[in-house]
Structure formats: C-alpha cells, structure tokens
Amino acid sequence: MSASDESSSFSAESYFSTQPPPAGLEQDIAGVKQFVQRQASSGRNVVLVTSGGTTVPLELNVVRFLDNFSAGTRGATSAEYFLKAGYAVIFMHRQFSLQPFSRHYSHSTNPFLDFLEIETSETSSPSSQIRVTSEKERSSIRSAAGTLHTLTFVTVNDYLWLLRAVSKELSVLRRKAMYYLAAAVSDFFLPRQKMSEHKIQSGKGSLHIEMDQVPKILKPMVDDWTGKDGYIVSFKLETDQTLLIPKAQTSLQRYGHQIVIGNDLNRRKFEVVFISWKAHSASTSTPIKVKEVLEEDSRFAESWIRIDPHDNNKEIEEDIIAELVTRHEAWINGG
Ligand code: PAZ
C-alpha cells in the first residue's frame, strides 16, 4: 500500500458531500438530541468521549480492512472519571472496544446494562454477583444511570459522520460542552468510489492500493460544528518521543482549540503531556510547519502528568480528568 504525498486529499466539505452517511445515523442523533436536552435542563456539563480505533474497509463487500491497536482503555477509563466528577457522558466508541465499568470484565460486551437491571429488579443471579466487585462501584454505576449515553462506530466513515452530527447537537450547551477526542482515527481511507465491489483477488501478485488522506476535521469542528464555544481536547500519539511536543504544538496552532494531550505509545499509561495556550496567547489560524515550532515556543504552556508505572491501583486518567475538570470550569467562567 502506498501513502504517497500525491494521493488526493479531501476537505471536510468534499468528504461529506461524496461519502455516504452510515445507516442509523438519524436514529442515533435523535437519541443524542434527547439526551442533551435532558442534561441541559439539569444544568450538567456534558462531555463527548471518543474511544477506540477505526477500521478502513478495502472492499464494498468487506472481506479485508485496516485497523489499529487501540483497545479503548483511555476512553473507557476517562468516561468513568468524568461520570464520577458529575459530568454527563456521550461515549462514542468502536464497537466491541472497552466500555466504562464493563472494562473490568472481559467476558461480556455490555454488562453495564446488566448492572442497571440488578438495581431495578433487586434480583441477583450468581453470575451478576461475580461481576459486582464493590459497593463503591455499584454506587458509581447507579449514579451513572441516565448520565451515560453510548454510541458505536466501526469504520472511519461512521466515526466522521457521527462526530460531526453529535458535535452539532452538543454545541447548544455552548461552554458547558467538552469534547475529549481519544479515539485512534485512521489518517488514510479508501473513498467508496475507488473501492472494489468484490473481494480483491490475489491472482495478480502484489497488492497496490493508493489511499486518500482522511480530512482534517478539527478545524471545522472548532469553527463550525461547535460554534467556537466548545472546550476541545485532542490527543496526539507518537512513537518518537522527540516529535511529541512539536507535533502537539503544531496541532494547537493549526486548529486553534484548547488542549492537545500528547502521549507516547509505550509510556501512555503513566505519562502524558498537556500542551495548551499560555494566558493571553491568542490562537491564530495561520498555518505553520512542524519545524517552525521545534524551538521552544513561548506561546505554549507544557505540563506533564506522571504516575508511578508500578502502582497498579492508580490510573493516569484520574489525574487527567481532575486537571481537565478544573480547566473546563475556568473556561466556563470566562477564563
Ligand atoms: O485506546 P488505548 O488506551 O489503547 O490508547 C489510547 C490512545 C493512545 C489511542 C489515545 O490516548 C490517543 O492518543 N488517541 C489519539 C491517537 C491519534 O490519532 O494520534
């Protein structure tokens, strides 16, 4: 497969006018609308958490697809801490990736619902007793009832359509909405018009597929979908530590949102870096190149969160969410 610079790139606008929406989008969005309205009347802050990897199908009758490593741990764990902090959560995740609460149990895809049933019916089967480990957890789950709304995606196309539609719905909450983009989204895709209808045959020797670039959606998300009011947190994953800060700064500079959380693939469970604007450093949308921010840039603030990698009782998401809740509160109050 080639990912050459010459492959055509889509703007967000051309993407949505040429790639079809997923089946079920309207129904999903009707559910989100109701959820957001309910939270708006209760005065809660709402966070959209995206989680897990996206697939890129190679055929219309899909036999093969590209995928990535993300298990959805970051997203599912973060959603739990947001719920505990009193947020309502729209959890938009890759089908069968980890989910809040049920992430502790690998044998069921949605025991969260089982937990809620336990609460309402007051029955407890032996299997459900095994799943519930502590009263503290039961109480988190109980209070999450009604404040957690889940949506699933599989392909990068599902993800992009859902993200745009959910962001637009959530934008009615203005500053009380946070967008926490932890999903690992493919940078390349095969437009529908270029896909083979049937299974790609192997008779012709090696396989050459030219993929197009997935549109950069953060800019329209900041400017249009969320009406410039949302508190937008994106993630940047690198495997070369030296690129982490310059790439995170470039992203903030390019898209003008609030925070980029940088994480290294092998250190992500115990170390992340927050890159944000220093007070009074207005974001500009002037495009810059990565090398221009390689030197220390005084417009950006850099702060690290680290936990003991050997402490199995501590999750870094607890500290990430505590920090974000504080910063979001300041943003709501005009900071
Ligand atoms: O899902 P996970 O816990 O295994 O990994 C989390 C992560 C590394 C995908 C996330 O923290 C992240 O960096 N997401 C953005 C990836 C990117 O597109 O750069």
Side-chain angles (χ1 to χ4, degrees), residues 51-52 69-75 181-185 235-237 261 263 265 268-269 317:
S51 182
F69 74 96
S70 169
T73 312
R74 174 82 81 220
L181 307 177
V185 182
F235 277 80
K236 173 65 70 188
L237 174 72
I261 301 181
N263 51 176
L265 180 67
R268 70 188 192 282
K269 296 202 190 260
E317 288 78 8

Side-chain angles (χ1 to χ4, degrees), residues 75-93:
T77 313
S78 302
E80 284 182 21
Y81 285 106
F82 276 120
L83 288 165
K84 286 175 191 162
Y87 276 66
V89 175
I90 299 176
F91 185 66
M92 185 178 136
H93 72 106

Side-chain angles (χ1 to χ4, degrees), residues 75-257:
T77 313
S78 302
E80 284 182 21
Y81 285 106
F82 276 120
L83 288 165
K84 286 175 191 162
Y87 276 66
V89 175
I90 299 176
F91 185 66
M92 185 178 136
H93 72 106
R94 160 74 179 276
Q95 189 181 31
F96 305 132
S97 66
L98 295 177
Q99 292 193 52
F101 307 111
S102 71
R103 73 191 166 97
H104 307 285
Y105 311 95
S106 55
H107 61 281
S108 167
T109 56
N110 203 351
F112 180 75
L113 295 179
D114 301 346
F115 282 125
L116 293 181
E117 278 166 23
I118 291 165
E119 269 318 300
T120 52
S121 66
E122 294 291 326
T123 60
S124 58
S125 66
S127 68
S128 63
Q129 278 170 354
I130 293 164
R131 291 189 200 124
V132 177
T133 52
S134 72
E135 181 50 38
K136 198 172 159 210
E137 188 166 34
R138 283 180 78 108
S139 120
S140 306
I141 292 159
R142 229 177 275 142
S143 62
T147 53
L148 175 63
H149 186 79
T150 52
L151 296 165
T152 56
F153 59 83
V154 177
T155 67
V156 66
N157 188 56
D158 300 341
Y159 172 87
L160 292 170
W161 276 95
L162 256 186
L163 181 66
R164 183 174 76 154
V166 174
S167 302
K168 287 181 175 181
E169 291 301 329
L170 204 46
S171 70
V172 300
L173 296 181
R174 317 268 321 243
R175 290 199 163 209
K176 288 174 84 67
M178 192 197 294
Y179 305 79
Y180 181 85
L181 307 177
V185 182
S186 175
D187 286 323
F188 302 101
F189 81 112
L190 205 52
R192 205 178 164 78
Q193 296 74 5
K194 287 190 184 172
M195 273 189 207
S196 149
E197 183 183 349
H198 294 292
K199 182 185 167 203
I200 298 169
Q201 297 297 311
S202 60
K204 292 183 188 141
S206 56
L207 174 66
H208 295 270
I209 298 177
E210 187 176 41
M211 307 194 98
D212 290 45
Q213 237 194 328
V214 167
K216 303 289 183 200
I217 48 78
L218 266 171
K219 192 74 188 137
M221 183 163 181
V222 172
D223 292 345
D224 305 327
W225 309 346
T226 60
K228 291 197 170 78
D229 262 343
Y231 193 78
I232 301 182
V233 181
S234 71
F235 277 80
K236 173 65 70 188
L237 174 72
E238 292 297 337
T239 53
D240 175 352
Q241 274 269 20
T242 63
L243 288 178
L244 206 52
I245 291 176
K247 293 279 291 258
Q249 290 180 342
T250 303
S251 172
L252 210 56
Q253 167 76 40
R254 246 181 217 152
Y255 307 122
H257 55 303

Side-chain angles (χ1 to χ4, degrees), residues 272-301:
V272 298
V273 59
F274 278 41
I275 302 295
S276 54
W277 296 100
K278 271 192 184 152
H280 310 302
S281 281
S283 69
T284 68
S285 54
T286 318
I288 54 164
K289 297 199 170 72
V290 174
K291 67 175 187 305
E292 288 171 10
V293 290
L294 281 174
E295 300 297 320
E296 197 178 316
D297 192 322
S298 59
R299 289 166 304 167
F300 302 111

Side-chain angles (χ1 to χ4, degrees), residues 17-31:
S17 62
T18 56
Q19 305 306 304
L25 182 67
E26 277 179 26
Q27 209 179 332
D28 279 346
I29 294 313

